[in-house]
Amino acid sequence: MKWTSVRVVALAASLAVAGAAHAADAVKVGLLSTLSGPGSGLGIDIRDGFQLAVKHAGGKLGGLPAEVVVVDDQQNPEVARQSAERLVKRDKVDFMTGIVFSNLLLAVAPPVFQSNTFYISANAGPSQLAGTQCNPYYFNVAYQNDNQHEAMGKTVTDKGFKRVALLAPNYPAGKDALAGFKRYFKGEVVSETYTPLNQLDYGSEVSKMRAAKPDAVYIFLPGGLGINFIKQFVGAGLSKEMTLFGPGFSADEDVIRAVGEPMLGMFNTSQWAHDLDNAANKRFVADFQKEYGRLPTLYAAQGYDAARLMDAAVRDTKGKLDDKKAVRKALEAAKFESVRGAFKFNTNHHPIQDYYLRVITKDAQGRVTNRTLGTVFKAHADAYASTCKMPS
């Protein structure tokens, strides 16, 4: 496994004492993400967004020097679990973040929580951790897995589509995705297919869709999976026979860069867009493009907000990171300006936030990209919060 330590040099913070709690002299973050293989683009964007936020804060989090230890989980649950154990036991990180895939997050959660280390999810939001397995050391600054799909289920219904084929990978987020879509879609599901998480050839699935003749197709295929499927879907001529919909993950800037004009007109839903009109987002988008030479994705925005949340918690506890109750309270308050606009944490530590409808179009510069059309849900909460009995 590949380990990289990114140490940001800054002036040492002065120590302060308040009872048994002492201010730390630095903040250490374990950023464990998928940095190789078909899903690597997603992890790289989370990493780059996170590190941009640290740079914006002068190399600090909450006023303290920040050290970010970056580790590749290789999209492997066992590698992820072992890496998490090393980060919390050997490196003694104060926070963890970065995981893209829900099966990996479920693998690392036990050792992270047992060590009383706060995990700030910048993507994966499995239903288990939103509901019966919610934990005081777990916060999701992105969404709960079902949410974007719920927004698209409502959209497809509102647009009058009656027969839909569904396709997602066979892992926890895939199951959550289609459950969320079906929660709000009122028509007929003509097929519901789950494929291996590493599948890149969708010839069989395309043939089944042609035979089923739905009027719409809904996919949740992140990263390279979505790139391959959309190319094959369009190449087979199905885009002329049925309308393709997806969540923001499957129609984001990484997919658009790889597929290009065949994606024009595709609708998708997200809690964030690069054209959202708020000061924090405008700065993030402009500086991300300057720093990395590409438009940011949803994943980059979530990595950025994960760092901003940590920054606020360290600031509001005056760096007393050994006071776990105070850190938890500060995280719950989420007193920072998010690139998505207003949001707050629900009782299960998942966001209550707006969800938007986007369409892929050409902008004034001739780029194929997303444009926000409107709001699907206002202040939307996930379906599992009522089953969370959050420990004190």
Side-chain angles (χ1 to χ4, degrees):
M1 65 192 72
K2 185 177 180 182
W3 290 70
T4 307
S5 180
V6 181
R7 186 177 297 273
V8 184
V9 180
L11 294 175
S14 61
L15 293 176
V17 180
H22 297 262
D25 57 3
V27 182
K28 199 168 189 179
V29 179
L31 197 157
L32 176 62
S33 198
T34 300
L35 304 174
S36 59
S40 61
L42 315 183
I44 288 168
D45 267 19
I46 289 174
R47 179 200 66 193
D48 290 352
F50 189 96
Q51 292 184 338
L52 178 62
V54 175
K55 183 176 181 178
H56 276 171
K60 301 178 181 181
L61 289 173
L64 298 181
E67 180 182 352
V68 184
V69 183
V70 180
V71 186
D72 182 7
D73 62 33
Q74 302 173 37
Q75 202 173 329
N76 182 305
E78 184 57 26
V79 170
R81 185 190 62 78
Q82 292 177 6
S83 299
E85 288 180 346
R86 292 183 66 183
L87 285 164
V88 298
K89 292 179 181 179
R90 188 195 70 179
D91 293 286
K92 300 187 184 304
V93 297
D94 300 297
F95 299 95
M96 280 193 60
T97 190
I99 286 181
V100 177
F101 296 94
S102 290
N103 58 325
L104 273 63
L105 180 55
L106 292 171
V108 309
V112 173
F113 299 160
Q114 287 165 14
S115 69
N116 293 345
T117 302
F118 287 101
Y119 188 93
I120 312 301
S121 182
N123 190 62
S127 54
Q128 295 91 330
L129 294 179
T132 57
Q133 296 178 35
C134 62
N135 191 282
Y137 288 95
Y138 172 77
F139 288 79
N140 189 303
V141 77
Y143 45 72
Q144 192 279 316
N145 282 348
D146 301 29
N147 293 157
Q148 289 189 16
H149 315 285
E150 292 170 337
M152 189 49 79
K154 182 178 187 301
T155 297
V156 173
T157 297
D158 291 348
K159 288 184 175 296
F161 291 90
K162 304 298 184 185
R163 304 178 75 251
V164 176
L166 306 180
L167 179 64
N170 189 15
Y171 80 121
K175 298 293 180 67
D176 286 348
L178 299 193
F181 182 89
K182 291 186 293 183
R183 191 173 290 123
Y184 283 83
F185 177 63
K186 304 305 180 185
E188 177 189 0
V189 174
V190 299
S191 67
E192 182 173 340
T193 305
Y194 296 93
T195 56
L197 188 52
N198 60 353
Q199 181 171 321
L200 296 175
D201 182 354
Y202 295 95
S204 175
E205 288 72 26
V206 167
S207 295
K208 290 178 182 176
M209 289 174 185
R210 190 189 301 279
K213 299 184 185 304
D215 53 6
V217 173
Y218 182 72
I219 62 167
F220 165 56
L221 295 169
L225 310 184
I227 292 167
N228 279 41
F229 174 81
I230 294 170
K231 287 181 176 179
Q232 293 166 37
F233 180 85
V234 173
L238 290 192
S239 59
K240 300 175 182 177
E241 304 172 20
M242 52 198 75
T243 303
L244 182 63
F245 294 89
F249 327 101
S250 300
D252 214 337
E253 301 305 317
D254 58 326
V255 182
I256 294 171
R257 283 194 297 270
V259 178
E261 292 197 4
M263 294 187 70
L264 288 170
M266 182 177 175
F267 293 99
N268 62 96
T269 44
S270 179
Q271 79 277 13
W272 173 84
H274 64 72
D275 58 354
L276 290 182
D277 188 12
N278 66 71
N281 193 49
K282 288 180 176 179
R283 182 189 185 198
F284 162 67
V285 172
D287 287 358
F288 190 94
Q289 290 182 88
K290 290 177 184 176
E291 189 79 12
Y292 303 111
R294 65 187 190 273
L295 275 171
T297 62
L298 171 68
Y299 300 94
Q302 292 167 175
Y304 187 86
D305 269 1
R308 301 268 285 180
L309 174 63
M310 293 179 198
D311 178 69
V314 177
R315 177 199 68 211
D316 292 347
T317 57
K318 296 180 171 56
K320 297 167 187 171
L321 300 179
D322 55 347
D323 187 344
K324 300 293 184 178
K325 288 185 177 180
V327 174
R328 173 181 167 181
K329 183 177 180 181
L331 289 169
E332 289 173 340
K335 293 182 179 178
F336 72 98
E337 292 186 24
S338 168
V339 296
R340 84 202 78 177
F343 93 101
K344 63 180 180 180
F345 281 120
N346 204 340
T347 54
N348 63 348
H349 294 172
H350 284 69
I352 298 174
Q353 59 191 345
D354 297 346
Y355 287 85
Y356 305 99
L357 178 64
R358 310 186 304 187
V359 66
I360 298 175
T361 185
K362 285 189 177 181
D363 65 10
Q365 302 174 46
R367 297 179 301 187
V368 179
T369 187
N370 274 296
R371 176 167 58 88
T372 302
L373 296 177
T375 304
V376 181
F377 289 137
K378 292 287 291 183
H380 185 64
D382 67 85
Y384 305 98
S386 62
T387 65
C388 166
K389 308 301 180 186
M390 185 66 72
S392 60

